[in-house]
Amino acid sequence: MSVRGTTAGATSIPFWRNVRVLSWIGQAAFLLLVALVAAWLYGNVTAGMQRIGIGGGYGFLNQSAGFEIGVKPVPYTPQDSYWRAFLVGVLNTLSVTVLGIVLATILGLLMGIAQLSSNWLIARLAQAYVAIFRNTPLLVQLLFWYLAVFLRLPRVQEAIALPGPIYLSNRGVTMVGLVPTESFGVWLLLVLVGVAAGAALWYFLRRAQERTGLQSPRFLLALLVVALVAVAGWLVLAPSPLAVEVPERRGLNFRGGWQFVPEYAALLLGLVVYTGTFIAENVRAGIQGVARGQTEAAQALGLSRGQVLRLVVLPQALRIIIPPTTSQYLNLAKNSSLAIAIGFPDLFNVSRTITNQTGQVIQMIGLIMASYLAISLTTSLLMNLYNRRVRLVER
Amino acid sequence: MATIGETLGPPRERIDPLRWVRQNLFNSWYNGLLTLLALALLAALLRSVLTWALSQADWAVVAVNLRLLMVGTFPSEQIWRVWLCVLLAATLLGLSWGLWPNVARAVGAAACAASFLLALLPFAPTSRGLLALCGALILGGMIAGRRLSIPRADGTGRRAGAWVAGAWLLLLPLVIYLLRGGLVLPAIPTSRWGGLLLTLLLAIVAIVFSFPLGVLLAIGRRSSLPVIRLFCTLYIELIRGVPLITVLFMMQIMLPLFVPGGESIDNVARAMVGFTIFTAAYIAENVRGGLQAIPRGQEEAARALGLNPLLTMGMIVLPQALRIVIPANVGQFISLFKDTSLVAVAGLLDLLGIARSVLAQSEFLGRQSEVLLFVALVYWVFAYSLTYVSRRLEEALGVGQR
């Protein structure tokens, strides 16, 4: 830097040396560059689409789809519109994601705690589970579950019967299920009332403890209220709200009960087993992250083992566990798109079919990305809300 | 050596097997029950797996297709090029092991042991010889590297380090050239790359390119210039919000639409670009975490010393930030390595893609378990050793201790 430059700067900085001006010029140039690239790409796309003869807009989604979907949570026929087909895909993705998150959390929690068990064998088994399933690609696991396990199960006639009854056959998993009857809605309302009553009782007892120091098993009492209301409703209502349906063999397939096709079962199992390892590691790290002194101090204060875990260790561990587990939930939702490898009609798979039939690449990619972004954002919003609650518990 | 203030651990107990069993397996009634249950489960599992592996499984499908699984349809008369790449990498690895034992010992020792162990397996004699040579080169390189690293007056050690680092940088272009051909070597189209070779190439290329891109994006996201910050934030959040497979398909379908002549870009390159732009977003978030962990005083002190913003970032902030995020980034690279299997869905013949085509061979119908278990084992060995190496690297670099 020369001396002349500094003396000149004392009076007025020339604009080519003014950082503020330079930064705005730089940003404008960057913006221009981005705009030029975008315009170039847009021009190419419109030209390319004209060349192939594809129109723009989303109108094509109202046309009749014309393809069948194997798994449909809502009624759907090939005469329905592409919109309807897309909706079926979205619902399938949501169903596998929600069920997967619940089951993976349970598995991960169990395995995470088991890794720290004082029982040597249990700890080693849990560690082996994590080491094996964490270090192989999910896609390989999915193909293995689908091709080497579920599709190679015996035929319906020789289905493996597990207690329950749960039948395993090459048509998938069929298990005894609960089917709602016409009184189900009324009963659900009753249960909601029960939950409200239970919550009120829990709150009242907590206030009582805060005021007078009266201790009570308030959670158990609240649960009892809910259970009482639910059971009473069950007994009073004429056709019981949920009918137990036992599957039975009819010719080449099962009738009744809950049925999961092999694709669904393999996808769910693969996602749960794979994501479970990551959650298990989060849980282990979270519990280990709580200083030992905390447990010892709580025990010295005379808290019972359950109280130590519930009131001292868990609130602090959750604070560590929740953020990384949220991203695992998001990963599970995104990984459910691997369903395409085993032919399960999820959001991505159905969209691929629509893209192949209509050729509307850009619109469909936009739709797919928007759907996944919506799922991701909703999940992280919910988890952030929960995270905030856990933080409040801390201090 | 015990110094003042250091606490001595309790005296070691003598290990008595019966007591060990009682303490670790049957220390309470429910633990005893759990142990018995787990033992029963383990026994049943082992019995069924062993019966299957010894009596029903037929590993011929793997043995016959081993070459396909390793290198795909790479021309067999040109296979020496692949071996040359492996041997070059082995030599460099050995030299690095000798020069920087803290960082490279784990990788070097593992690769060396693996080469010698593989050489004992009943492969073709040339393969076994070359594998043994590979192990010997690692060992030889290690000894040479250790000799070179002895400090001398003329500074040979430091210069050797610079040479080896430079050689690593040149290795990737050289490997790509060797495999593709051109000039004096006959050209090989990328469609003939396959199997483990393609898997490793995809992972390595994506790692090499996504890392600098990710660092740039992370710096951009923390920039004080709103336009740059917005652009980087949008990129990162958009990519992180969608599944990898949509990015790969976008590359397959949309590239020809977006870029004139995009049809002529081959599939392997498209997949590499897809992995790079996907991984860069995740690397960026990791690096941003590291940047946030560096106290502001570091930057202010650097500015006070008269360093310009570029030097402040490059010589003060970034080196500290990158060291913090090594574990996170290695974790990201492990997941990238596993995710390369997704190209099998997009129609490339990587390790999993080849495995799927092997499953369709008419003479080996119904051998899904064998093929998929073998493929899973190969992935597992790589991913698990990477995990192990990252743990050693963390210890060697003292992450979280300084």
Side-chain angles (χ1 to χ4, degrees):
Chain A
M1 234 170 262
S2 66
V3 179
R4 202 158 51 90
T6 44
T7 45
T11 47
S12 72
I13 307 169
F15 73 90
W16 63 88
R17 298 194 62 118
N18 186 334
V19 175
R20 200 169 288 174
V21 175
L22 278 182
S23 84
W24 280 111
I25 293 174
Q27 290 189 71
F30 181 75
L31 211 57
L32 194 69
L33 186 73
V34 171
L36 279 178
V37 171
W40 181 65
L41 291 178
Y42 182 77
N44 287 339
V45 170
T46 40
M49 283 173 71
Q50 262 171 7
R51 200 172 57 235
I52 322 171
I54 305 171
Y58 278 92
F60 70 96
L61 283 172
N62 293 321
Q63 295 162 13
S64 166
F67 61 91
E68 181 58 289
I69 298 179
V71 185
K72 38 198 170 190
V74 289
Y76 167 85
T77 58
Q79 284 80 45
D80 282 324
S81 67
Y82 282 120
W83 269 122
R84 187 88 181 164
F86 184 73
L87 177 74
V88 171
V90 170
L91 288 177
N92 277 334
T93 290
L94 285 180
S95 129
V96 94
T97 302
V98 171
L99 204 54
I101 284 179
V102 171
L103 294 177
T105 308
I106 295 172
L107 182 68
L109 212 60
L110 280 179
M111 287 297 163
I113 295 170
Q115 282 192 83
L116 297 172
S117 165
S118 61
N119 187 324
W120 184 85
L121 188 64
I122 296 286
R124 285 308 112 99
L125 281 178
Q127 284 161 9
Y129 154 73
V130 171
I132 291 172
F133 288 101
R134 196 184 154 97
N135 288 310
T136 40
L138 173 60
L139 190 56
V140 176
Q141 291 182 33
L142 281 180
L143 288 175
F144 182 80
W145 293 126
Y146 183 58
L147 295 174
V149 176
F150 280 101
L151 283 191
R152 304 194 66 186
L153 285 170
R155 290 176 304 157
V156 171
Q157 285 83 349
E158 293 112 42
I160 303 169
L162 297 177
I166 301 171
Y167 295 105
L168 304 176
S169 68
N170 60 5
R171 291 299 184 89
V173 180
T174 313
M175 59 197 289
V176 58
L178 297 170
V179 180
T181 59
E182 65 251 49
S183 64
F184 182 68
V186 184
W187 183 71
L188 211 60
L189 265 177
L190 261 177
V191 171
L192 278 180
V193 171
V195 168
L201 180 70
W202 183 87
Y203 186 72
F204 173 75
L205 286 174
R206 203 183 76 166
R207 286 293 301 279
Q209 182 179 347
E210 278 165 6
R211 274 204 313 272
T212 64
L214 169 79
Q215 292 217 3
S216 54
R218 52 175 183 266
F219 187 72
L220 280 182
L221 284 175
L223 216 60
L224 197 67
V225 169
V226 179
L228 272 178
V229 173
V231 171
W234 189 284
L235 294 177
V236 168
L237 289 172
S240 57
L242 286 170
V244 179
E245 231 181 53
V246 180
E248 48 191 84
R249 259 166 256 194
R250 281 277 173 76
L252 290 176
N253 210 341
F254 286 100
R255 270 294 174 78
W258 282 344
Q259 298 194 4
F260 302 97
V261 293
E263 291 81 21
Y264 188 92
L267 182 63
L268 188 64
L269 184 64
L271 286 173
V272 166
V273 167
Y274 184 73
T275 314
T277 63
F278 289 90
I279 297 179
E281 281 295 276
N282 293 345
V283 169
R284 183 186 59 81
I287 295 176
Q288 280 182 334
V290 179
R292 242 191 118 68
Q294 295 281 328
T295 315
E296 289 165 356
Q299 279 168 348
L301 285 174
L303 298 187
S304 72
R305 275 177 70 115
Q307 279 175 323
V308 171
L309 199 67
R310 205 177 69 239
L311 299 173
V312 178
V313 177
L314 217 54
Q316 299 184 63
L318 276 180
R319 207 165 38 119
I320 309 174
I321 294 171
I322 285 177
T325 302
T326 305
S327 53
Q328 286 312 320
Y329 288 169
L330 296 179
N331 281 346
L332 189 145
K334 285 183 276 172
N335 283 336
S336 70
S337 60
L338 292 184
I340 194 166
I342 54 175
F344 178 71
D346 77 324
L347 146 61
F348 185 61
N349 199 352
V350 170
S351 303
R352 274 283 289 166
T353 314
I354 299 177
T355 315
N356 286 344
Q357 285 195 2
T358 60
Q360 305 278 6
V361 184
I362 308 287
Q363 289 94 322
M364 286 315 292
I365 287 275
L367 209 55
I368 295 170
M369 289 179 101
S371 314
Y372 278 109
L373 278 176
I375 293 174
S376 298
L377 290 178
T378 319
T379 313
S380 53
L381 183 76
L382 289 177
M383 290 304 287
N384 283 344
L385 283 178
Y386 182 59
N387 197 19
R388 203 170 297 161
R389 218 189 79 85
V390 174
R391 268 202 203 129
L392 277 179
V393 170
E394 182 219 352
R395 192 159 288 164
Chain B
M1 199 169 28
T3 52
I4 298 168
E6 189 179 320
T7 39
L8 290 174
R12 280 252 167 140
E13 279 178 64
R14 292 256 309 282
I15 297 166
D16 171 7
L18 213 69
R19 195 157 137 203
W20 183 90
V21 165
R22 196 174 320 136
Q23 275 184 355
N24 289 296
L25 297 178
F26 295 96
N27 54 359
S28 65
W29 65 267
Y30 63 83
N31 258 336
L33 207 66
L34 271 178
T35 304
L36 292 181
L37 263 174
L39 275 178
L41 194 78
L42 203 61
L45 202 71
L46 270 182
R47 212 185 60 188
S48 56
V49 167
L50 281 181
T51 2
W52 175 79
L54 295 178
S55 62
Q56 289 158 17
D58 179 9
W59 297 96
V61 57
V62 174
V64 169
N65 291 299
L66 192 60
R67 183 201 186 84
L68 213 53
L69 286 165
M70 289 298 117
V71 294
T73 54
F74 204 85
S76 50
E77 70 281 1
Q78 299 291 335
I79 202 77
W80 60 269
R81 299 196 204 170
V82 181
W83 280 109
L84 186 59
C85 297
V86 173
L87 295 178
L88 280 174
T91 315
L92 278 182
L93 182 60
L95 282 170
S96 314
W97 180 9
L99 284 171
W100 307 293
N102 288 341
V103 184
R105 186 191 293 129
V107 198
C112 186
S115 316
F116 282 126
L117 276 179
L118 285 174
L120 291 177
L121 293 178
F123 297 129
T126 26
S127 310
R128 292 175 65 175
L130 283 163
L131 278 169
L133 178 62
C134 182
L137 276 176
I138 299 179
L139 270 185
M142 189 266 283
I143 293 164
R146 193 168 284 177
R147 280 270 171 84
L148 284 173
S149 69
I150 298 167
R152 282 201 210 106
D154 59 348
T156 334
R158 193 174 292 171
R159 237 178 300 152
W163 275 105
V164 172
W168 273 118
L169 280 182
L170 282 180
L171 185 63
L172 184 64
L174 184 64
V175 164
I176 301 274
Y177 167 69
L178 273 176
L179 295 179
R180 276 191 71 107
L183 292 180
V184 281
L185 292 171
I188 296 171
T190 54
S191 55
R192 306 210 47 183
W193 299 357
L196 183 61
L197 174 72
L198 180 59
T199 295
L200 289 176
L201 272 177
L202 283 173
I204 292 168
V205 168
I207 286 174
V208 168
F209 286 103
S210 67
F211 186 72
L213 189 58
V215 171
L216 280 183
L217 282 168
I219 296 173
R221 195 171 177 176
R222 280 168 57 84
S223 161
S224 58
L225 310 177
V227 174
I228 310 270
R229 193 170 58 228
L230 186 74
F231 179 80
C232 293
T233 311
L234 269 180
Y235 175 91
I236 292 171
E237 293 304 328
L238 213 71
I239 296 288
R240 274 161 40 95
V242 298
L244 171 56
I245 199 158
T246 57
V247 177
L248 288 179
F249 267 110
M250 237 167 88
M251 280 293 133
Q252 300 285 334
I253 307 169
M254 305 228 315
L255 211 62
L257 271 180
F258 273 128
V259 185
E263 301 90 346
S264 61
I265 304 173
D266 70 76
N267 279 339
V268 173
R270 284 185 207 185
M272 284 171 176
V273 173
F275 282 120
T276 304
I277 60 176
F278 182 79
T279 307
Y282 286 81
I283 297 285
E285 281 302 88
N286 289 343
V287 173
R288 187 166 71 102
L291 288 174
Q292 276 176 353
I294 306 301
R296 247 193 111 65
Q298 294 285 328
E299 194 187 330
E300 288 164 355
R303 299 298 297 276
L305 285 174
L307 298 185
N308 66 26
L310 210 64
L311 286 178
T312 307
M313 184 51 86
M315 300 182 67
I316 307 293
V317 180
L318 211 51
Q320 301 183 59
L322 289 184
R323 208 183 61 186
I324 299 177
V325 295
I326 284 172
N329 279 341
V330 175
Q332 195 56 52
F333 291 144
I334 294 172
S335 88
L336 167 67
F337 173 72
K338 288 184 289 172
D339 283 343
T340 54
S341 57
L342 262 64
V343 294
V345 181
L348 289 191
L349 293 175
D350 74 323
L351 184 54
L352 186 60
I354 290 275
R356 282 171 58 142
S357 70
V358 165
L359 289 183
Q361 289 172 355
S362 54
E363 65 267 41
F364 294 118
L365 282 182
R367 292 284 162 214
Q368 291 94 341
S369 309
E370 288 87 344
V371 175
L372 288 172
L373 281 179
F374 174 77
V375 167
L377 180 71
V378 175
Y379 277 112
W380 186 84
V381 166
F382 276 94
Y384 191 76
S385 26
L386 271 174
T387 316
Y388 177 78
V389 165
S390 98
R391 223 173 291 153
R392 297 304 301 269
L393 206 61
E394 261 173 71
E395 285 165 20
L397 292 170
V399 171
Q401 281 165 25
R402 256 182 278 178

